[in-house]
Amino acid sequence: SFDWNDGLFDVTWSENNEHVLITSSGDGSLQIWDTAKTKGPLQVYKEHTQEAYSVDWSQTRGEQLVVSGSWDQTAKLWDPAVGKSLCTFKGHEGVIYSTIWSPHIPGCFASASGDQTLRVWDVKAPGVKLVIPAHQAEILSCDWCKYDENLLVTGAVDCSLKGWDLRNIRQPVFILLGHTYAIRRVKFSPFHATLLASCSYDFTVRFWDFSKPNPLLETVEHHTEFTCGLDLSLHNRGQV
């Protein structure tokens, strides 16, 4: 286990070294850790001026890039081999809660914000590529479909999940209702194109298949407090 002197909000594994991971912290910094060297962080990036709330390592081959999102309303791009950020993305008018790389398109990531928008960015071009006014509430989470490069899902304080097709953003592809408090995290399945999981401040984890007439597959009520995060195993189909 590693210790840091402030709260840790997010963590991402390296995609090119099984021992390396990056955390993001309440003091605005990112820490790179090596599980083979348990002394302390290999590196600390301190550029964000408020809480660093999300961090994600790119999954496409041919690039090793990290994106972070902060309550300072900016996202930053990092190369773990370089000691400072490569660039800063500005445009959100509220805190950024989630920054997630596209699993398909190199150099493309999405961000979800308290300004009620989902935004899509291209690291090769300055400025935002796409702005989607996805909810009339703060958006706490977003994720990309693993089987469709144009499909994203958002989860918000309005208790709803919405699917978005980047080719037509006028209305959502699907809306999933059932949670009774804010949705904190949503993840698409790595094995099924239409399956996703969400967790919420209503203490539940819910599994959905948006292709079905009754999309709510299961509600899991194991937790006795806010459910703040979840992920699906890439190796074991049934494991969350």
Side-chain angles (χ1 to χ4, degrees), residues 70-92:
S70 169
W71 289 7
D72 66 12
Q73 304 184 6
T74 72
K76 284 180 181 282
L77 180 70
W78 312 84
D79 177 340
V82 179
K84 61 182 195 297
S85 65
L86 304 180
C87 60
T88 301
F89 299 88
K90 296 178 180 170
H92 276 297

Side-chain angles (χ1 to χ4, degrees), residues 130-145:
L130 201 57
V131 180
I132 303 170
H135 296 258
Q136 289 183 309
E138 289 197 296
I139 306 169
L140 303 185
S141 186
C142 63
D143 196 29
W144 295 81
C145 179

